[in-house]
């Protein structure tokens, strides 16, 4: 059985048909937030209910616990210096792993109230960190701890780590989750997993035009609806295609929004990232496991 469903030849050019999906590790409860660290040639990801970070050493293929407990980390990304930026559920903060090995708080509150539970983050070329703050880490004692929200909703924020300036950039979503910029950073894509809290809502991804100031966005519009379950985390390749998580596969949407193909995954996909020395290996977190597959594209650099 093929690992692919090719719906459009544009997708056919983005994959290596003989390349097979590999399960590199299993044994987690809910894995998320993979990030590839080029200088270390390792992948770090979250196993949220177990309150731990896992690490795959890419050359030898060994996996070990990287850190536990850890504030129930969820999403991760890298900044321009190669430092890991983390979204923490029970930590209720965005933090950064400094070169000395310590986690430093970058932001933990807005207008005097603690964040809900930062979920996923992306770093823009100007160094700003854009992150989502849904309530999953304070809704239960499984992926964090039950705690009251101190915000008036779940929003998207922009943090300038140099000045500490923190602004709300999107306030019209229910549960903003994964997010990523288009290669030229003129567009910001954000998944809304509000269907977990609003009956009848669909898994949708919205797209927002980045304003001329580069620090805010204009009015958003629907970009794509998920064909199975919900979009959670996703990444954008150098051609602007969106590689998105879903219940049954990694779904690839072209910049025009059309679904052009799928990589079939035997567990519910939560998130993914491009890795390897050439960034052409897709690392995929899906429920209990870490998967990988080589693809014929890479993110913009
Ligand atoms: Mg997420």
């Amino acid at each position: 059985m093929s690992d692919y469903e090719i719906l459009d030849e544009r997708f056919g050019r983005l994959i290596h048909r003989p390349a097979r999906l590999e399960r590199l590790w299993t044994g987690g409860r809910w894995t998320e937030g993979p990030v590839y660290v080029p200088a270390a040639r390792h992948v770090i990801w979250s196993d949220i209910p177990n309150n731990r970070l896992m690490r795959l050493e890419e050359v030898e293929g060994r996996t070990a616990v990287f850190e536990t407990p850890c504030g129930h980390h969820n999403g991760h990304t890298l900044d321009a210096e190669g430092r890991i930026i983390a979204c923490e559920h029970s930590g209720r903060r965005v933090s950064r792993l400094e070169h000395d090995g310590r986690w430093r708080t970058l932001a933990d509150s807005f207008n005097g109230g603690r964040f809900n539970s930062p979920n996923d983050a992306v770093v823009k070329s100007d160094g700003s960190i854009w992150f989502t703050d849904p309530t999953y880490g304070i809704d239960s004692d499984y992926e964090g701890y039950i705690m009251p929200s101190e915000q008036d909703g779940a929003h998207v924020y922009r943090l300038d780590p140099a000045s500490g300036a923190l602004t709300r950039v999107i306030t019209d979503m229910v549960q903003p989750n994964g997010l990523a910029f288009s290669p030229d950073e003129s567009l910001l894509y954000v998944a809304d997993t509000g269907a977990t809290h609003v009956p009848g809502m669909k898994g949708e991804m919205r797209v927002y035009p980045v304003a001329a100031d580069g620090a805010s966005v204009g009015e958003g519009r629907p970009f794509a609806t998920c064909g199975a379950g919900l979009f959670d985390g996703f990444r954008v390749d150098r051609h602007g295609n969106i590689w998105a998580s879903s219940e049954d596969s990694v779904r690839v949407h072209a910049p025009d929004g059309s679904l052009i193909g799928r990589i079939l995954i035997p567990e519910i996909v939560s998130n993914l990232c491009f890795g390897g020395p050439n960034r052409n290996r897709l690392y995929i977190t899906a429920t209990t496991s870490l998967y990988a597959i080589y693809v014929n594209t890479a993110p913009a650099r």
Side-chain angles (χ1 to χ4, degrees):
M1 183 185 145
S2 172
D3 292 326
Y4 308 102
E5 183 186 25
I6 300 170
L7 299 167
D8 185 307
E9 195 39 46
R10 287 177 288 177
F11 179 70
R13 293 192 289 271
L14 296 174
I15 59 170
H16 299 291
R17 287 167 209 244
R20 296 270 78 89
L21 183 72
E22 303 166 66
R23 186 161 80 172
L24 303 178
W25 177 82
T26 193
R29 286 205 161 87
W30 180 259
T31 61
E32 268 223 64
V35 62
Y36 182 76
V37 184
R41 290 203 65 179
H42 65 204
V43 183
I44 301 287
W45 70 97
S46 305
D47 179 7
I48 304 176
N50 286 321
N51 196 12
R52 63 181 178 173
L53 297 180
M54 303 303 298
R55 169 185 183 265
L56 171 81
E57 190 283 308
E58 185 180 60
V59 179
E60 296 287 339
R62 288 185 298 258
T63 296
V65 176
F66 183 69
E67 187 166 321
T68 189
C70 65
H72 293 85
H73 284 209
N74 188 330
H76 298 100
T77 192
L78 282 193
D79 73 5
E81 281 190 38
R83 294 172 294 189
I84 296 177
I85 306 294
C87 292
E88 304 188 22
H89 276 186
S90 62
R92 298 179 77 168
R93 64 174 182 163
V94 175
S95 58
R96 183 173 67 202
L97 184 56
E98 304 292 339
H99 293 304
D100 67 5
R102 294 191 176 96
W103 291 98
R104 177 180 164 200
T105 300
L106 298 181
D108 58 7
S109 62
F110 182 80
N111 270 353
R114 299 169 76 188
F115 292 135
N116 297 317
S117 50
N119 188 290
D120 216 342
V122 63
V123 174
K124 198 163 172 283
S125 61
D126 64 3
S128 60
I129 300 165
W130 301 52
F131 62 94
T132 58
D133 186 41
T135 61
Y136 299 109
I138 57 172
D139 287 341
S140 76
D141 290 327
Y142 189 59
E143 292 200 8
Y145 302 116
I146 296 174
M147 288 186 270
S149 175
E150 299 177 21
Q151 299 293 336
D152 62 3
H155 307 300
V156 182
Y157 295 85
R158 175 190 183 271
L159 172 69
D160 177 352
S163 69
L166 179 67
T167 52
R168 273 185 183 163
V169 286
I170 297 175
T171 58
D172 67 348
M173 304 189 84
V174 180
Q175 295 279 14
N177 203 312
L179 75 175
F181 288 102
S182 61
D184 66 1
E185 299 185 333
S186 67
L187 301 171
L188 176 65
Y189 299 95
V190 190
D192 194 335
T193 48
T196 54
H197 289 65
V198 178
M201 189 174 162
K202 290 202 158 43
E204 68 169 32
M205 188 181 298
R206 295 175 63 79
V207 60
Y208 295 80
V210 177
D213 65 2
S216 58
V217 299
E219 197 173 330
R221 60 178 170 82
F223 174 74
T225 300
C226 190
L230 307 174
F231 293 124
D232 192 337
F234 57 93
R235 294 288 194 274
V236 177
D237 71 24
R238 61 163 68 109
H239 306 293
N241 301 298
I242 289 96
W243 298 67
S245 57
S246 77
E247 193 170 285
D248 60 2
S249 55
V250 172
R251 290 171 178 261
V252 181
H253 287 261
D256 65 9
S258 55
L259 177 67
I260 58 173
R262 302 193 299 133
I263 302 171
L264 309 180
I265 310 290
E267 299 183 78
I268 297 172
V269 182
S270 61
N271 216 326
L272 50 91
C273 70
F274 289 97
N278 298 312
R279 313 294 189 273
N280 63 343
R281 193 179 195 194
L282 203 61
Y283 285 101
I284 301 155
T285 50
T287 313
T288 64
S289 305
L290 179 75
Y291 296 86
I293 193 165
Y294 281 94
V295 296
N296 191 30
T297 188
R301 295 215 220 178

